[in-house]
Amino acid sequence: MLHQMILGFDSLFTLDGMLMILFGSVLGTFVGAIPGLGGAVLMTMLLPFIYGMPVIPALCLLLAAHSGIYFSGSVTAILLNTPGAPESAATTFDGYAMTRRGQAKRALGISALSTTVGGWIGVGLLLIVIPFMFQLIKLFQPSEYLVLAILAIVLIGQMRSGSMTKGLLSGLFGLMMSFVGYDPITGVQRFTFHQLALYNGFNITAVALGIFAFAEMFHLYSLKRARTDAANVNLLGRTPGSGVLDGIKDVLAHPWLMIRSAILGTLLGVVPGIGGVAANFISYGQAMKTSKHPEKFGTGIPEGIIAPESSSISKEAGNLVPTVALGVPGGVGMAVLMSGFTILGIVPGPSMLKSNLDAVFAMAFVIAIGSLLSSAMGLAIVPLLARISRVRSAILVPFIFALAALGSYAADQSMGQVIAVFGFGIVGLLMKRFNYSVPAAMIGFILGSVAEQNLYLTQQLFGLSMFKRPLTDFMILVILFVVLNPYLKRFRRTPVGAKGEMSA
């Protein structure tokens, strides 16, 4: 295990590895400052470019880009009250309040150190957990993998959806799209309508680009303006106590809050479906509850930035645990990373832990290095990042459209997949418009083959005796609870309303 960890660390310091980490961090830093985009969209845009790349440099590019968006996302949250990434929403409460008091640089210093050190704590916990992943996967047989895939779709179906029903329908739509093409067991053609371009199904790159990147670009273009029109921000920071170093001192003055928030973010990241937005708000909430002066939160205090920013990257470290060990993505970003695994020929789970263990350790180290690089670069170019957030959609969108169309064609050399990108873009836009869950659809598409293959294996190995397996039964009960809980809550509230009407 130690040998594989050293190999993983050493593999980052090749020329390819260092260049990909640097390039990914730079991209993440700039893209993270554009409200509406984020790590998942950026990784999706990079998927076509990892074809033919060695495994570790490709993972360096994807994860460094994903880690790079967090600090720059907090820059626009602090300076402009507009989070560059959804995960930075909690930072706006106290970050923007400090900016209005002329303490923008101090707030940025708090964010930079909290994001970096919080990410390191999460990576440290991940390195401790990796050796125990082997014990975790021994508990899982085909029936557990089947039910786990369904559980992941149900949990993530609650993210960015208007209701549980819409989340489930979104996941089922993704599953249905994964069934297009040859049946892996029987070889029968499904949903191809005699179109040669559909014989091998939809390319993972085309689906990810369409449903994430194109859908977001359609929405951006409809605005006909930049996502934020804030005025120039004063970054002089000449008032005593308002500089970057003062922000760093604030973080060092609250070490236990930073450690506690980072640990909480890592633990929440292990649970599929929690999401970065929820994790950061939960961290913010626990900081407020344990504070000696909770009434000051939202007025511009350091603790209100330390808590959510410490959990932002540590949550991504936690997300890697179910993604690598079980093949179940912990969040939207990890779903796109799994698409990268597919392109690179990596199978998450026992196979990855045996054949690519050095890559698992390398991914952990990339998150740590990427968070440091992006925070350092972000602090150096803060004024430029603030201006990037004002780029008009009429300039930004055509460039990304062209890049995405080119990337989808390069991935499969098929115009059919380019058409699919536009089709899924329209579907993604409609899903966002009517509050269906885009992440659930993506997860459903990725886990469709996992569910299908394990359904066949479960039928062959266990049959109905799968229901005699305790872990399978437990996960089925969790699925039933998650699905039925919203309806049970509504049912409990109905008699109270009825009684009120009767008494009236």
Side-chain angles (χ1 to χ4, degrees), residues 167-255:
L168 292 176
L169 288 173
S170 303
L172 289 173
F173 171 75
L175 278 173
M176 186 174 71
M177 291 300 100
S178 74
F179 298 151
V180 174
Y182 285 107
D183 185 307
I185 308 301
T186 64
V188 174
Q189 289 285 340
R190 302 174 301 187
F191 309 118
T192 58
F193 306 103
H194 305 292
Q195 297 296 315
L196 187 62
L198 296 178
Y199 278 19
N200 290 322
F202 293 113
N203 187 288
I204 187 77
T205 306
V207 177
L209 279 172
I211 211 165
F212 279 120
F214 265 48
E216 189 60 45
M217 290 306 102
F218 284 143
H219 177 65
L220 272 178
Y221 194 74
S222 68
L223 298 176
K224 299 292 184 184
R225 58 177 176 82
R227 286 295 290 264
T228 176
D229 298 315
N232 290 328
V233 178
N234 180 16
L235 290 169
L236 296 178
R238 291 174 181 171
T239 308
S242 63
V244 172
L245 287 177
D246 297 295
I248 291 173
K249 289 176 185 176
D250 287 329
V251 178
L252 297 177
H254 299 87

Side-chain angles (χ1 to χ4, degrees), residues 257-314:
L257 174 61
M258 179 174 58
I259 293 169
R260 189 169 67 243
S261 299
I263 293 173
L264 180 60
T266 306
L267 294 175
L268 290 170
V270 172
V271 182
I274 291 291
V277 179
N280 285 14
F281 273 103
I282 291 170
S283 294
Y284 186 89
Q286 63 85 23
M288 184 186 295
K289 287 179 181 177
T290 56
S291 174
K292 295 178 181 178
H293 40 77
E295 72 283 353
K296 292 185 179 179
F297 276 75
T299 63
I301 61 172
E303 295 98 307
I305 302 175
I306 293 170
E309 290 301 311
S310 296
S311 68
S312 59
I313 294 185
S314 66

Side-chain angles (χ1 to χ4, degrees), residues 312-449:
S312 59
I313 294 185
S314 66
K315 174 263 306 173
E316 295 301 324
N319 274 346
L320 277 177
V321 175
T323 304
V324 169
L326 304 172
V328 175
V332 184
M334 292 299 112
V336 181
L337 182 65
M338 279 189 65
S339 305
F341 289 167
T342 303
I343 292 169
L344 296 170
I346 300 174
V347 180
S351 174
M352 186 173 187
L353 293 176
K354 290 176 183 175
S355 306
N356 299 98
L357 186 57
D358 59 332
V360 176
F361 282 109
M363 286 192 289
F365 291 125
V366 169
I367 292 175
I369 297 170
S371 65
L372 174 62
L373 281 177
S374 61
S375 295
M377 284 188 294
L379 280 176
I381 56 171
V382 161
L384 179 59
L385 293 178
R387 291 190 189 98
I388 287 173
S389 67
R390 300 192 195 99
V391 174
R392 291 181 62 82
S393 57
I395 298 171
L396 179 69
V397 171
F399 172 73
I400 294 181
F401 269 170
L403 194 63
L406 236 134
S408 62
Y409 180 79
D412 207 44
Q413 285 82 48
S414 168
M415 281 305 297
Q417 297 299 330
V418 176
I419 295 169
V421 170
F422 282 93
F424 279 109
I426 294 169
V427 170
L429 181 65
L430 290 173
M431 292 180 74
K432 287 167 69 74
R433 171 67 180 80
F434 295 104
N435 291 323
Y436 284 84
S437 175
V438 172
M442 190 67 208
I443 297 292
F445 181 81
I446 292 171
L447 295 182
S449 59

